Amino acid sequence: MANHKSAEKRDRQAKMRRLRNRMNKSAMKTAVRQVEEAIAAGSEEQAKAALQAAIPVIYKTSTKGSIHKKNASRKVSRLTKRVNKMQPLA
């Protein structure tokens, strides 16, 4: 328990940041899960649409500071690679 006024404020700020980070990460995980479900279902069009919806959510999460910028880039890269691998070779 905080004993000083400044420590109480820091505790309040930490709680709000923790909730905000949890909200952002949860939205990102949901978007990623939708892409993975479309890949598992084998629906190429649905996977592409889900990926296009997930990319801004992932980058927004990194912009807000909930995850690192390179972590976001890695997630987008790996998802994109998996969606592209679904396409039949021309």
Side-chain angles (χ1 to χ4, degrees), residues 5 25 37 47 53-54 74 87:
K5 192 172 183 180
K25 285 183 182 181
E37 287 174 355
R74 186 172 59 245
Q87 298 175 3

Side-chain angles (χ1 to χ4, degrees), residues 52-66:
Q52 290 304 313
I55 288 174
V57 175
I58 294 170
Y59 281 131
K60 181 181 176 185
T61 305
S62 72
T63 303
K64 299 294 182 182
S66 298

